[in-house]
Amino acid sequence: MSLKINIIKDKLLSENWFVLRNFTYELTRNNGEVVRHKREVYDRGNGATILLYNTEKNSVLLVRQFRIATYVNGNESGELIETCAGLLDDDSPEDCIRKEAIEETGYQVGKVDKVFEAYMSPGGVTELIHFFAAEYSDEQRANKGGGVEDEEITVLELSFPEALAMVKDGRIRDGKAIMLLQHAQIAGWLQA
């Protein structure tokens, strides 16, 4: 049984970087009771992320970059170790992640495997992320990576056991990276 939703008000709050709206809506619960909610919703578009891994070297490629949201929430340096990722804009998820991989890591990715999709913060953000994985080799390195224009990205090649240890001790706190590293461990792509 699906819930009945009645949007009462949809107010635009900001179109500065992405779109922030304030919704007032009524939700009819399963027992027939109607409750009214007022929520802000941030629409930044959908995205894609990828775990690049090398079975021969038992390694993964991650990136480190400054993230203002983590800085203002107590991350002293503001830098976060993540999987390569980006917004879809007008690209398909597959095209987006290939483009982001070459820009951020410098590796020209061929075949990518879709692993799953996930809403990362559904309480207030619309973004649906498409999760991918692909094997990489040294021969696929086309440039040094590091991002484009105003980005300052460091490429990190880590052994898989080291990456898992970094999740455990808190050096990796990016949800995308954690999910893909744990998926790789469960799937047995690499040796822990």
Side-chain angles (χ1 to χ4, degrees), residues 4-34:
K4 181 180 173 196
I5 307 297
N6 179 31
I7 304 287
I8 295 168
K9 184 170 83 170
D10 173 359
K11 180 180 179 185
L12 177 67
L13 299 178
S14 174
E15 288 182 295
N16 186 25
W17 184 248
F18 297 110
V19 177
L20 180 63
R21 304 183 92 81
N22 183 284
F23 287 94
T24 303
Y25 63 94
E26 291 178 336
L27 179 141
T28 303
R29 298 170 65 171
N30 290 331
N31 67 4
E33 177 187 7
V34 176

PDB file of all heavy atoms in Angstrom, residues 4-34:
ATOM      1  N   LYS A   4      -0.512   8.256   0.575  1.00  0.00           N
ATOM      2  CA  LYS A   4      -1.053   9.356  -0.213  1.00  0.00           C
ATOM      3  C   LYS A   4      -0.328  10.624   0.200  1.00  0.00           C
ATOM      4  O   LYS A   4      -0.249  10.947   1.392  1.00  0.00           O
ATOM      5  CB  LYS A   4      -2.553   9.487   0.018  1.00  0.00           C
ATOM      6  CG  LYS A   4      -3.170  10.596  -0.804  1.00  0.00           C
ATOM      7  CD  LYS A   4      -4.659  10.726  -0.561  1.00  0.00           C
ATOM      8  CE  LYS A   4      -5.164  11.950  -1.275  1.00  0.00           C
ATOM      9  NZ  LYS A   4      -6.469  12.351  -0.795  1.00  0.00           N
ATOM     10  N   ILE A   5       0.208  11.335  -0.793  1.00  0.00           N
ATOM     11  CA  ILE A   5       0.944  12.575  -0.557  1.00  0.00           C
ATOM     12  C   ILE A   5       0.217  13.715  -1.266  1.00  0.00           C
ATOM     13  O   ILE A   5      -0.154  13.597  -2.434  1.00  0.00           O
ATOM     14  CB  ILE A   5       2.383  12.489  -1.121  1.00  0.00           C
ATOM     15  CG1 ILE A   5       3.112  11.257  -0.600  1.00  0.00           C
ATOM     16  CG2 ILE A   5       3.170  13.763  -0.828  1.00  0.00           C
ATOM     17  CD1 ILE A   5       3.317  11.215   0.877  1.00  0.00           C
ATOM     18  N   ASN A   6       0.006  14.821  -0.557  1.00  0.00           N
ATOM     19  CA  ASN A   6      -0.616  16.007  -1.130  1.00  0.00           C
ATOM     20  C   ASN A   6       0.318  17.192  -0.902  1.00  0.00           C
ATOM     21  O   ASN A   6       0.494  17.639   0.236  1.00  0.00           O
ATOM     22  CB  ASN A   6      -1.983  16.248  -0.480  1.00  0.00           C
ATOM     23  CG  ASN A   6      -2.656  17.487  -1.018  1.00  0.00           C
ATOM     24  OD1 ASN A   6      -2.468  17.856  -2.172  1.00  0.00           O
ATOM     25  ND2 ASN A   6      -3.442  18.140  -0.175  1.00  0.00           N
ATOM     26  N   ILE A   7       0.955  17.689  -1.984  1.00  0.00           N
ATOM     27  CA  ILE A   7       1.848  18.847  -1.881  1.00  0.00           C
ATOM     28  C   ILE A   7       0.989  20.096  -1.732  1.00  0.00           C
ATOM     29  O   ILE A   7       0.157  20.405  -2.596  1.00  0.00           O
ATOM     30  CB  ILE A   7       2.758  18.978  -3.119  1.00  0.00           C
ATOM     31  CG1 ILE A   7       3.565  17.704  -3.361  1.00  0.00           C
ATOM     32  CG2 ILE A   7       3.649  20.215  -3.004  1.00  0.00           C
ATOM     33  CD1 ILE A   7       4.682  17.447  -2.416  1.00  0.00           C
ATOM     34  N   ILE A   8       1.196  20.820  -0.644  1.00  0.00           N
ATOM     35  CA  ILE A   8       0.424  22.030  -0.380  1.00  0.00           C
ATOM     36  C   ILE A   8       1.179  23.266  -0.847  1.00  0.00           C
ATOM     37  O   ILE A   8       0.607  24.184  -1.426  1.00  0.00           O
ATOM     38  CB  ILE A   8       0.099  22.136   1.126  1.00  0.00           C
ATOM     39  CG1 ILE A   8      -0.809  20.975   1.507  1.00  0.00           C
ATOM     40  CG2 ILE A   8      -0.534  23.476   1.472  1.00  0.00           C
ATOM     41  CD1 ILE A   8      -0.982  20.783   2.982  1.00  0.00           C
ATOM     42  N   LYS A   9       2.499  23.277  -0.608  1.00  0.00           N
ATOM     43  CA  LYS A   9       3.307  24.443  -0.988  1.00  0.00           C
ATOM     44  C   LYS A   9       4.676  23.964  -1.444  1.00  0.00           C
ATOM     45  O   LYS A   9       5.272  23.065  -0.848  1.00  0.00           O
ATOM     46  CB  LYS A   9       3.445  25.396   0.188  1.00  0.00           C
ATOM     47  CG  LYS A   9       4.193  26.692  -0.143  1.00  0.00           C
ATOM     48  CD  LYS A   9       4.106  27.717   0.970  1.00  0.00           C
ATOM     49  CE  LYS A   9       5.162  27.411   2.007  1.00  0.00           C
ATOM     50  NZ  LYS A   9       5.323  28.465   2.996  1.00  0.00           N
ATOM     51  N   ASP A  10       5.188  24.580  -2.512  1.00  0.00           N
ATOM     52  CA  ASP A  10       6.521  24.310  -3.045  1.00  0.00           C
ATOM     53  C   ASP A  10       7.167  25.673  -3.253  1.00  0.00           C
ATOM     54  O   ASP A  10       6.849  26.385  -4.204  1.00  0.00           O
ATOM     55  CB  ASP A  10       6.404  23.537  -4.358  1.00  0.00           C
ATOM     56  CG  ASP A  10       7.738  23.359  -5.072  1.00  0.00           C
ATOM     57  OD1 ASP A  10       8.769  23.850  -4.583  1.00  0.00           O
ATOM     58  OD2 ASP A  10       7.730  22.729  -6.144  1.00  0.00           O
ATOM     59  N   LYS A  11       8.042  26.066  -2.327  1.00  0.00           N
ATOM     60  CA  LYS A  11       8.637  27.402  -2.361  1.00  0.00           C
ATOM     61  C   LYS A  11      10.126  27.301  -2.688  1.00  0.00           C
ATOM     62  O   LYS A  11      10.879  26.600  -2.003  1.00  0.00           O
ATOM     63  CB  LYS A  11       8.453  28.092  -1.008  1.00  0.00           C
ATOM     64  CG  LYS A  11       9.037  29.483  -0.942  1.00  0.00           C
ATOM     65  CD  LYS A  11       8.815  30.115   0.426  1.00  0.00           C
ATOM     66  CE  LYS A  11       9.437  31.494   0.470  1.00  0.00           C
ATOM     67  NZ  LYS A  11       9.344  32.067   1.821  1.00  0.00           N
ATOM     68  N   LEU A  12      10.556  28.032  -3.713  1.00  0.00           N
ATOM     69  CA  LEU A  12      11.965  28.093  -4.084  1.00  0.00           C
ATOM     70  C   LEU A  12      12.703  28.969  -3.075  1.00  0.00           C
ATOM     71  O   LEU A  12      12.330  30.115  -2.846  1.00  0.00           O
ATOM     72  CB  LEU A  12      12.108  28.666  -5.492  1.00  0.00           C
ATOM     73  CG  LEU A  12      13.531  28.847  -5.991  1.00  0.00           C
ATOM     74  CD1 LEU A  12      14.208  27.490  -6.187  1.00  0.00           C
ATOM     75  CD2 LEU A  12      13.527  29.632  -7.299  1.00  0.00           C
ATOM     76  N   LEU A  13      13.752  28.413  -2.457  1.00  0.00           N
ATOM     77  CA  LEU A  13      14.545  29.164  -1.485  1.00  0.00           C
ATOM     78  C   LEU A  13      15.851  29.675  -2.075  1.00  0.00           C
ATOM     79  O   LEU A  13      16.329  30.739  -1.700  1.00  0.00           O
ATOM     80  CB  LEU A  13      14.848  28.299  -0.256  1.00  0.00           C
ATOM     81  CG  LEU A  13      13.647  27.793   0.530  1.00  0.00           C
ATOM     82  CD1 LEU A  13      14.095  26.910   1.683  1.00  0.00           C
ATOM     83  CD2 LEU A  13      12.806  28.960   1.036  1.00  0.00           C
ATOM     84  N   SER A  14      16.446  28.892  -2.977  1.00  0.00           N
ATOM     85  CA  SER A  14      17.740  29.280  -3.538  1.00  0.00           C
ATOM     86  C   SER A  14      18.000  28.530  -4.837  1.00  0.00           C
ATOM     87  O   SER A  14      17.660  27.355  -4.973  1.00  0.00           O
ATOM     88  CB  SER A  14      18.860  28.967  -2.541  1.00  0.00           C
ATOM     89  OG  SER A  14      20.125  29.201  -3.114  1.00  0.00           O
ATOM     90  N   GLU A  15      18.639  29.222  -5.767  1.00  0.00           N
ATOM     91  CA  GLU A  15      19.151  28.622  -6.999  1.00  0.00           C
ATOM     92  C   GLU A  15      20.612  29.024  -7.168  1.00  0.00           C
ATOM     93  O   GLU A  15      21.090  29.197  -8.275  1.00  0.00           O
ATOM     94  CB  GLU A  15      18.353  29.096  -8.216  1.00  0.00           C
ATOM     95  CG  GLU A  15      16.978  28.530  -8.327  1.00  0.00           C
ATOM     96  CD  GLU A  15      16.272  29.006  -9.585  1.00  0.00           C
ATOM     97  OE1 GLU A  15      16.000  30.219  -9.694  1.00  0.00           O
ATOM     98  OE2 GLU A  15      16.010  28.164 -10.446  1.00  0.00           O
ATOM     99  N   ASN A  16      21.320  29.159  -6.052  1.00  0.00           N
ATOM    100  CA  ASN A  16      22.690  29.646  -6.095  1.00  0.00           C
ATOM    101  C   ASN A  16      23.630  28.653  -6.740  1.00  0.00           C
ATOM    102  O   ASN A  16      24.174  28.898  -7.804  1.00  0.00           O
ATOM    103  CB  ASN A  16      23.146  30.006  -4.677  1.00  0.00           C
ATOM    104  CG  ASN A  16      24.495  30.657  -4.646  1.00  0.00           C
ATOM    105  OD1 ASN A  16      24.921  31.257  -5.628  1.00  0.00           O
ATOM    106  ND2 ASN A  16      25.179  30.542  -3.537  1.00  0.00           N
ATOM    107  N   TRP A  17      23.878  27.534  -6.121  1.00  0.00           N
ATOM    108  CA  TRP A  17      24.758  26.500  -6.667  1.00  0.00           C
ATOM    109  C   TRP A  17      23.901  25.385  -7.252  1.00  0.00           C
ATOM    110  O   TRP A  17      24.072  24.982  -8.376  1.00  0.00           O
ATOM    111  CB  TRP A  17      25.691  25.983  -5.568  1.00  0.00           C
ATOM    112  CG  TRP A  17      26.694  24.984  -6.038  1.00  0.00           C
ATOM    113  CD1 TRP A  17      26.744  23.670  -5.715  1.00  0.00           C
ATOM    114  CD2 TRP A  17      27.792  25.209  -6.921  1.00  0.00           C
ATOM    115  NE1 TRP A  17      27.797  23.058  -6.336  1.00  0.00           N
ATOM    116  CE2 TRP A  17      28.476  23.984  -7.089  1.00  0.00           C
ATOM    117  CE3 TRP A  17      28.278  26.321  -7.606  1.00  0.00           C
ATOM    118  CZ2 TRP A  17      29.595  23.835  -7.883  1.00  0.00           C
ATOM    119  CZ3 TRP A  17      29.402  26.179  -8.405  1.00  0.00           C
ATOM    120  CH2 TRP A  17      30.042  24.959  -8.526  1.00  0.00           C
ATOM    121  N   PHE A  18      22.957  24.889  -6.456  1.00  0.00           N
ATOM    122  CA  PHE A  18      21.953  23.934  -6.906  1.00  0.00           C
ATOM    123  C   PHE A  18      20.609  24.504  -6.475  1.00  0.00           C
ATOM    124  O   PHE A  18      20.517  25.690  -6.205  1.00  0.00           O
ATOM    125  CB  PHE A  18      22.219  22.544  -6.314  1.00  0.00           C
ATOM    126  CG  PHE A  18      23.535  21.971  -6.773  1.00  0.00           C
ATOM    127  CD1 PHE A  18      24.589  21.829  -5.898  1.00  0.00           C
ATOM    128  CD2 PHE A  18      23.712  21.581  -8.090  1.00  0.00           C
ATOM    129  CE1 PHE A  18      25.803  21.313  -6.325  1.00  0.00           C
ATOM    130  CE2 PHE A  18      24.919  21.068  -8.527  1.00  0.00           C
ATOM    131  CZ  PHE A  18      25.970  20.931  -7.641  1.00  0.00           C
ATOM    132  N   VAL A  19      19.570  23.695  -6.371  1.00  0.00           N
ATOM    133  CA  VAL A  19      18.242  24.216  -6.073  1.00  0.00           C
ATOM    134  C   VAL A  19      17.796  23.748  -4.686  1.00  0.00           C
ATOM    135  O   VAL A  19      17.801  22.559  -4.388  1.00  0.00           O
ATOM    136  CB  VAL A  19      17.218  23.745  -7.139  1.00  0.00           C
ATOM    137  CG1 VAL A  19      15.818  24.218  -6.789  1.00  0.00           C
ATOM    138  CG2 VAL A  19      17.625  24.251  -8.523  1.00  0.00           C
ATOM    139  N   LEU A  20      17.418  24.699  -3.845  1.00  0.00           N
ATOM    140  CA  LEU A  20      16.886  24.415  -2.523  1.00  0.00           C
ATOM    141  C   LEU A  20      15.431  24.864  -2.483  1.00  0.00           C
ATOM    142  O   LEU A  20      15.123  26.011  -2.795  1.00  0.00           O
ATOM    143  CB  LEU A  20      17.696  25.145  -1.441  1.00  0.00           C
ATOM    144  CG  LEU A  20      17.244  24.945  -0.002  1.00  0.00           C
ATOM    145  CD1 LEU A  20      17.368  23.476   0.407  1.00  0.00           C
ATOM    146  CD2 LEU A  20      18.063  25.830   0.932  1.00  0.00           C
ATOM    147  N   ARG A  21      14.548  23.935  -2.129  1.00  0.00           N
ATOM    148  CA  ARG A  21      13.116  24.213  -2.081  1.00  0.00           C
ATOM    149  C   ARG A  21      12.577  23.863  -0.691  1.00  0.00           C
ATOM    150  O   ARG A  21      13.111  22.992  -0.022  1.00  0.00           O
ATOM    151  CB  ARG A  21      12.368  23.399  -3.132  1.00  0.00           C
ATOM    152  CG  ARG A  21      12.862  23.585  -4.542  1.00  0.00           C
ATOM    153  CD  ARG A  21      12.016  22.804  -5.525  1.00  0.00           C
ATOM    154  NE  ARG A  21      10.937  23.633  -6.040  1.00  0.00           N
ATOM    155  CZ  ARG A  21      11.064  24.515  -7.015  1.00  0.00           C
ATOM    156  NH1 ARG A  21      12.216  24.678  -7.596  1.00  0.00           N
ATOM    157  NH2 ARG A  21      10.046  25.224  -7.411  1.00  0.00           N
ATOM    158  N   ASN A  22      11.490  24.525  -0.328  1.00  0.00           N
ATOM    159  CA  ASN A  22      10.786  24.219   0.911  1.00  0.00           C
ATOM    160  C   ASN A  22       9.416  23.677   0.528  1.00  0.00           C
ATOM    161  O   ASN A  22       8.647  24.335  -0.177  1.00  0.00           O
ATOM    162  CB  ASN A  22      10.641  25.487   1.766  1.00  0.00           C
ATOM    163  CG  ASN A  22       9.991  25.191   3.079  1.00  0.00           C
ATOM    164  OD1 ASN A  22       8.784  24.999   3.150  1.00  0.00           O
ATOM    165  ND2 ASN A  22      10.782  25.167   4.130  1.00  0.00           N
ATOM    166  N   PHE A  23       9.137  22.452   0.981  1.00  0.00           N
ATOM    167  CA  PHE A  23       7.861  21.802   0.688  1.00  0.00           C
ATOM    168  C   PHE A  23       7.023  21.715   1.951  1.00  0.00           C
ATOM    169  O   PHE A  23       7.531  21.355   3.013  1.00  0.00           O
ATOM    170  CB  PHE A  23       8.073  20.376   0.169  1.00  0.00           C
ATOM    171  CG  PHE A  23       8.606  20.303  -1.229  1.00  0.00           C
ATOM    172  CD1 PHE A  23       9.961  20.195  -1.463  1.00  0.00           C
ATOM    173  CD2 PHE A  23       7.740  20.343  -2.310  1.00  0.00           C
ATOM    174  CE1 PHE A  23      10.455  20.120  -2.752  1.00  0.00           C
ATOM    175  CE2 PHE A  23       8.224  20.270  -3.609  1.00  0.00           C
ATOM    176  CZ  PHE A  23       9.592  20.165  -3.823  1.00  0.00           C
ATOM    177  N   THR A  24       5.757  22.022   1.810  1.00  0.00           N
ATOM    178  CA  THR A  24       4.758  21.705   2.835  1.00  0.00           C
ATOM    179  C   THR A  24       3.846  20.680   2.196  1.00  0.00           C
ATOM    180  O   THR A  24       3.345  20.887   1.077  1.00  0.00           O
ATOM    181  CB  THR A  24       3.956  22.952   3.258  1.00  0.00           C
ATOM    182  OG1 THR A  24       4.865  23.953   3.729  1.00  0.00           O
ATOM    183  CG2 THR A  24       2.955  22.609   4.353  1.00  0.00           C
ATOM    184  N   TYR A  25       3.651  19.566   2.877  1.00  0.00           N
ATOM    185  CA  TYR A  25       2.830  18.503   2.306  1.00  0.00           C
ATOM    186  C   TYR A  25       2.081  17.762   3.401  1.00  0.00           C
ATOM    187  O   TYR A  25       2.437  17.792   4.565  1.00  0.00           O
ATOM    188  CB  TYR A  25       3.675  17.522   1.482  1.00  0.00           C
ATOM    189  CG  TYR A  25       4.726  16.775   2.268  1.00  0.00           C
ATOM    190  CD1 TYR A  25       4.470  15.510   2.794  1.00  0.00           C
ATOM    191  CD2 TYR A  25       5.976  17.319   2.480  1.00  0.00           C
ATOM    192  CE1 TYR A  25       5.432  14.826   3.516  1.00  0.00           C
ATOM    193  CE2 TYR A  25       6.954  16.645   3.193  1.00  0.00           C
ATOM    194  CZ  TYR A  25       6.676  15.397   3.716  1.00  0.00           C
ATOM    195  OH  TYR A  25       7.624  14.731   4.435  1.00  0.00           O
ATOM    196  N   GLU A  26       1.003  17.137   2.972  1.00  0.00           N
ATOM    197  CA  GLU A  26       0.234  16.270   3.854  1.00  0.00           C
ATOM    198  C   GLU A  26       0.472  14.830   3.435  1.00  0.00           C
ATOM    199  O   GLU A  26       0.469  14.510   2.246  1.00  0.00           O
ATOM    200  CB  GLU A  26      -1.257  16.591   3.781  1.00  0.00           C
ATOM    201  CG  GLU A  26      -1.606  17.926   4.369  1.00  0.00           C
ATOM    202  CD  GLU A  26      -3.080  18.257   4.260  1.00  0.00           C
ATOM    203  OE1 GLU A  26      -3.772  17.703   3.368  1.00  0.00           O
ATOM    204  OE2 GLU A  26      -3.539  19.084   5.068  1.00  0.00           O
ATOM    205  N   LEU A  27       0.666  13.991   4.408  1.00  0.00           N
ATOM    206  CA  LEU A  27       0.888  12.566   4.193  1.00  0.00           C
ATOM    207  C   LEU A  27      -0.236  11.817   4.891  1.00  0.00           C
ATOM    208  O   LEU A  27      -0.471  12.033   6.079  1.00  0.00           O
ATOM    209  CB  LEU A  27       2.248  12.184   4.783  1.00  0.00           C
ATOM    210  CG  LEU A  27       2.679  10.743   4.692  1.00  0.00           C
ATOM    211  CD1 LEU A  27       4.169  10.695   4.389  1.00  0.00           C
ATOM    212  CD2 LEU A  27       2.417  10.009   5.979  1.00  0.00           C
ATOM    213  N   THR A  28      -0.962  11.013   4.127  1.00  0.00           N
ATOM    214  CA  THR A  28      -2.013  10.200   4.723  1.00  0.00           C
ATOM    215  C   THR A  28      -1.389   8.868   5.115  1.00  0.00           C
ATOM    216  O   THR A  28      -0.928   8.115   4.257  1.00  0.00           O
ATOM    217  CB  THR A  28      -3.183   9.977   3.746  1.00  0.00           C
ATOM    218  OG1 THR A  28      -3.687  11.249   3.347  1.00  0.00           O
ATOM    219  CG2 THR A  28      -4.296   9.174   4.405  1.00  0.00           C
ATOM    220  N   ARG A  29      -1.366   8.616   6.416  1.00  0.00           N
ATOM    221  CA  ARG A  29      -0.745   7.400   6.935  1.00  0.00           C
ATOM    222  C   ARG A  29      -1.629   6.182   6.661  1.00  0.00           C
ATOM    223  O   ARG A  29      -2.788   6.320   6.278  1.00  0.00           O
ATOM    224  CB  ARG A  29      -0.496   7.572   8.429  1.00  0.00           C
ATOM    225  CG  ARG A  29       0.472   8.738   8.717  1.00  0.00           C
ATOM    226  CD  ARG A  29       0.554   9.098  10.155  1.00  0.00           C
ATOM    227  NE  ARG A  29       1.141   7.970  10.890  1.00  0.00           N
ATOM    228  CZ  ARG A  29       1.511   8.026  12.147  1.00  0.00           C
ATOM    229  NH1 ARG A  29       1.352   9.152  12.826  1.00  0.00           N
ATOM    230  NH2 ARG A  29       2.032   6.990  12.741  1.00  0.00           N
ATOM    231  N   ASN A  30      -1.075   5.021   6.848  1.00  0.00           N
ATOM    232  CA  ASN A  30      -1.813   3.774   6.581  1.00  0.00           C
ATOM    233  C   ASN A  30      -3.084   3.651   7.411  1.00  0.00           C
ATOM    234  O   ASN A  30      -4.051   3.036   6.982  1.00  0.00           O
ATOM    235  CB  ASN A  30      -0.919   2.561   6.822  1.00  0.00           C
ATOM    236  CG  ASN A  30       0.158   2.440   5.763  1.00  0.00           C
ATOM    237  OD1 ASN A  30      -0.037   2.854   4.632  1.00  0.00           O
ATOM    238  ND2 ASN A  30       1.299   1.893   6.125  1.00  0.00           N
ATOM    239  N   ASN A  31      -3.102   4.283   8.597  1.00  0.00           N
ATOM    240  CA  ASN A  31      -4.292   4.205   9.444  1.00  0.00           C
ATOM    241  C   ASN A  31      -5.331   5.285   9.113  1.00  0.00           C
ATOM    242  O   ASN A  31      -6.324   5.422   9.799  1.00  0.00           O
ATOM    243  CB  ASN A  31      -3.899   4.268  10.919  1.00  0.00           C
ATOM    244  CG  ASN A  31      -3.315   5.615  11.316  1.00  0.00           C
ATOM    245  OD1 ASN A  31      -3.252   6.559  10.518  1.00  0.00           O
ATOM    246  ND2 ASN A  31      -2.858   5.729  12.565  1.00  0.00           N
ATOM    247  N   GLY A  32      -5.057   6.070   8.030  1.00  0.00           N
ATOM    248  CA  GLY A  32      -5.996   7.108   7.612  1.00  0.00           C
ATOM    249  C   GLY A  32      -5.696   8.474   8.195  1.00  0.00           C
ATOM    250  O   GLY A  32      -6.260   9.473   7.746  1.00  0.00           O
ATOM    251  N   GLU A  33      -4.862   8.556   9.219  1.00  0.00           N
ATOM    252  CA  GLU A  33      -4.512   9.838   9.833  1.00  0.00           C
ATOM    253  C   GLU A  33      -3.705  10.676   8.846  1.00  0.00           C
ATOM    254  O   GLU A  33      -2.817  10.175   8.151  1.00  0.00           O
ATOM    255  CB  GLU A  33      -3.683   9.584  11.101  1.00  0.00           C
ATOM    256  CG  GLU A  33      -3.202  10.855  11.784  1.00  0.00           C
ATOM    257  CD  GLU A  33      -2.244  10.560  12.931  1.00  0.00           C
ATOM    258  OE1 GLU A  33      -1.851   9.392  13.123  1.00  0.00           O
ATOM    259  OE2 GLU A  33      -1.888  11.526  13.617  1.00  0.00           O
ATOM    260  N   VAL A  34      -4.002  11.972   8.789  1.00  0.00           N
ATOM    261  CA  VAL A  34      -3.282  12.899   7.916  1.00  0.00           C
ATOM    262  C   VAL A  34      -2.346  13.735   8.783  1.00  0.00           C
ATOM    263  O   VAL A  34      -2.772  14.332   9.775  1.00  0.00           O
ATOM    264  CB  VAL A  34      -4.261  13.809   7.139  1.00  0.00           C
ATOM    265  CG1 VAL A  34      -3.502  14.843   6.318  1.00  0.00           C
ATOM    266  CG2 VAL A  34      -5.178  12.982   6.258  1.00  0.00           C
TER     267      VAL A  34
END
